[in-house]
Amino acid sequence: FIKPFDWSYLLSFFSRHATAGVELVDQASYLRQFKTTHGVGYFRASLSPKADALKIEIHVVDLADLRLIIEKIRSMFDLAHNPHRPILKKTKHFDPNTVRIPGSFDTFEAAVGVILGQLVTTEQGKRNLGKLVERFGEKSKTTFHPQLTHFFPDAKAIANSKPSDWEGLGFTKSWCTTLQELAKQVER
C-alpha cells in the first residue's frame, strides 16, 4: 500500500461490522474463513511491522483459488487506493484522498448485510447477520480459530429456503422476501 494507511480505522470498522462465527477482529488483525469451489480456507491480515505493507496469511485447499482471494483482500482493505493521486479537493482540516474505503469480502454477503441492517442500529444489524449465519450457514468442520464456527450462507441456501425456515428469527416478512429474491437473482 501507499501511505497514509490508517490500519486502526480499518480494524475498527471491520470490528463494528464483523459477522459472528465468520469473521474475527482483534487489536492487531482481521481473520475470516471462507468457502471456494475447491474447499475451505481462511486468511489473517495484520500490519507488517517492518514495511509499509499488510502481512497476509492465506490458507487455501487449491492454489487455483489464491488469485481470487487476494483480489477480495485487496478490495476489502482498499489497497489499490493512491492517496497521492488527488480526486477530491482538500479542505483546511481534512484530506479526503487519504481515506481508505473499507470494502467487503463478498458482494452477496454485503448486500445481505445492508438488507438486515436497514432501520436498525449497527449492533442489531450484526445480531441479525449472526442469526442468519446460525440458521442458514454451514457449520465449519475445520477449526481455524475456535470463534470461527460457520461459513456465511451461500445464495442457494437462502434461495431454496421455505417460509418456515425463517420462523423465530425476528425478521420482517419484507426482509425475508427481499433476501430470497436477492439470492434467487444471484443464483441465476
Side-chain angles (χ1 to χ4, degrees), residues 107-122:
T107 53
F108 174 68
E109 187 176 322
V112 169
V114 168
I115 292 164
L116 291 178
Q118 288 178 339
L119 305 174
V120 297
T121 65
T122 301

Side-chain angles (χ1 to χ4, degrees), residues 21-137:
V22 178
E23 303 170 286
L24 180 64
V25 181
D26 60 29
Q27 291 182 345
S29 64
Y30 171 93
L31 176 66
R32 90 167 279 135
Q33 61 184 6
F34 53 83
K35 287 178 67 174
T36 69
T37 55
H38 298 107
V40 300
Y42 76 93
F43 79 87
R44 178 187 306 271
S46 57
L47 195 59
S48 173
K50 297 180 182 177
D52 296 340
L54 285 182
K55 177 183 173 188
I56 308 290
E57 289 175 55
I58 303 174
H59 297 266
V60 291
V61 173
D62 191 316
L63 287 178
D65 293 324
L66 194 56
R67 182 181 300 272
L68 175 64
I69 299 305
I70 289 170
E71 286 307 312
K72 287 177 177 265
I73 293 168
R74 288 182 56 78
S75 174
M76 278 187 76
F77 298 106
D78 198 11
L79 296 179
H81 177 64
N82 182 348
H84 304 297
R85 190 178 324 133
I87 298 169
L88 302 170
K89 189 175 181 178
K90 292 180 188 180
T91 67
K92 182 178 178 182
H93 301 286
F94 179 67
D95 182 358
N97 300 299
T98 63
V99 176
R100 304 280 171 159
I101 308 297
S104 66
F105 183 78
D106 180 81
T107 53
F108 174 68
E109 187 176 322
V112 169
V114 168
I115 292 164
L116 291 178
Q118 288 178 339
L119 305 174
V120 297
T121 65
T122 301
E123 281 303 312
Q124 183 60 49
K126 279 178 67 167
R127 283 192 293 276
N128 290 341
L129 278 172
K131 290 192 273 185
L132 183 89
V133 166
E134 281 279 329
R135 179 72 51 95
F136 296 105

